[in-house]
Amino acid sequence: MKVLIVDDTAEMRQALGELLQRRGHDVIASVADGDEALEAASRLELDVILLDVLLGSGSGLDVARVLTSKHPDIPVVLMSMNDVRAADFHASGARSVIAKERLARIDLSTLISGI
C-alpha cells in the first residue's frame, strides 16, 4: 500500500513510517503540514493518506476537507491522540479515524479495505 504520512512531529512521522514499512507498506512521502500534503497528493500515486488531526500549522480536519474534495479517490484516515467529535469527522470527508496509540496494533490494509 502506498502511504502518505502527514504529521507535524518528525519523530511520529519517522516512527510511523518505520512501522508501516516493516508491515510491507510503501511510505511514498512523509510531510509536516497541510500545504505539503496537498502538493504531495497532487503529484504522487497514493493508496491512503494518514493525517494528524492537530497540525502545528492548522487543523488536520480542514486539510482533510480540501484533500477529500480535490482527491476523492484517495482515502484519508485521521490520526489523533484525542477523541474526534463525530460531526467534525463526518464533515472532514475522511473515511476513518484512529487513535495514534492503536496504530501499532492495526493492520492498515484491513482498515482501508473496510472503508
Side-chain angles (χ1 to χ4, degrees), residues 4-7 29-44 46 49-52 55 60 63-64 66-67 71 74:
L4 168 63
I5 299 169
V6 185
D7 195 296
S30 178
V31 300
D33 63 40
D35 290 337
E36 291 177 306
L38 292 167
E39 188 275 327
S42 294
R43 68 177 169 78
L44 300 172
L46 301 167
I49 299 170
L50 296 179
L51 174 62
D52 189 14
L55 296 173
V63 174
V66 176
L67 282 168
H71 307 283
I74 305 172

Side-chain angles (χ1 to χ4, degrees), residues 1-112:
M1 191 163 265
K2 297 175 197 161
V3 182
L4 168 63
I5 299 169
V6 185
D7 195 296
D8 59 331
T9 307
E11 295 83 9
M12 179 56 90
R13 290 192 308 271
Q14 181 176 352
L16 186 53
E18 290 171 2
L19 172 70
L20 293 171
Q21 287 175 335
R22 280 195 309 269
R23 292 193 172 172
H25 299 294
D26 188 8
V27 177
I28 300 293
S30 178
V31 300
D33 63 40
D35 290 337
E36 291 177 306
L38 292 167
E39 188 275 327
S42 294
R43 68 177 169 78
L44 300 172
E45 184 179 323
L46 301 167
D47 295 317
V48 65
I49 299 170
L50 296 179
L51 174 62
D52 189 14
V53 170
L54 296 176
L55 296 173
S57 61
S59 169
L61 295 167
D62 292 337
V63 174
R65 278 193 268 300
V66 176
L67 282 168
T68 58
S69 69
K70 289 187 175 193
H71 307 283
D73 54 321
I74 305 172
V76 173
V77 175
L78 297 173
M79 307 179 293
S80 182
M81 296 289 282
N82 304 305
D83 290 335
V84 176
R85 291 182 354 175
D88 292 337
F89 163 67
H90 291 297
S92 76
R95 298 200 195 165
S96 186
V97 63
I98 186 165
K100 283 186 176 180
E101 63 268 14
R102 293 190 59 221
L103 286 168
R105 298 185 307 267
I106 295 294
D107 177 29
L108 186 59
S109 297
T110 302
L111 177 68
I112 298 306

